[in-house]
Amino acid sequence: MMRAACLCGAVRFTSPALEDPLACHCRECRQQSGHYFAAGRARWDALLFEADAGLRWFRASDSASRGFCGHCGATLFWRGDDSPYVRVALGALDGPTGLRLGRHVWTDEAGDYYAIADDLPQEGEG
């Protein structure tokens, strides 16, 4: 199990090992996080919350919501509607994680202020 928390600790949880670590470069992820969103996938029902008093959800599109801490503002989750899976922000995990990004998605929406400087696969859309 991996431990994770927001910056202030109002949201703390454990997660099983995350799958499919990726970097999402879509406009919404960049606006929410301030850069691209690095996240891994887990089943929502496999997360165990120690504290969730700060957890808030924002309806970001017609098909997904974004979870964050309402106290410190930390970006924590992305969840598609009706999906049993959630994307967990890699930055929320206590390290070391042993994870490595495996791909970049929504690269056609990447910001013009940075270059994707690795050799990982790139997908224009997620």
Side-chain angles (χ1 to χ4, degrees), residues 89-112:
L90 297 181
L93 300 171
D94 293 345
T97 67
L99 296 170
R100 296 290 179 262
L101 291 179
R103 62 190 174 116
H104 296 270
V105 297
W106 290 98
T107 56
D108 57 341
E109 293 187 11
D112 63 357

Side-chain angles (χ1 to χ4, degrees), residues 22-96:
L22 58 76
C24 182
H25 299 265
C26 77
R27 183 182 60 82
E28 291 87 0
C29 280
R30 289 186 298 108
Q31 285 181 316
Q32 181 188 20
S33 70
H35 199 33
Y36 59 83
F37 181 55
R41 185 179 69 185
R43 289 191 60 89
W44 175 250
D45 60 7
L47 301 183
L48 301 173
F49 285 87
E50 257 180 63
D52 63 1
L55 184 56
R56 303 290 182 271
W57 290 91
F58 173 70
R59 184 89 178 137
S61 70
D62 291 340
S63 62
S65 295
R66 295 170 180 274
F68 65 98
C69 177
H71 299 289
C72 68
T75 300
L76 298 168
F77 304 111
W78 179 93
R79 187 172 184 197
D81 293 348
D82 303 320
S83 175
Y85 294 97
V86 63
R87 286 279 172 186
V88 177
L90 297 181
L93 300 171
D94 293 345

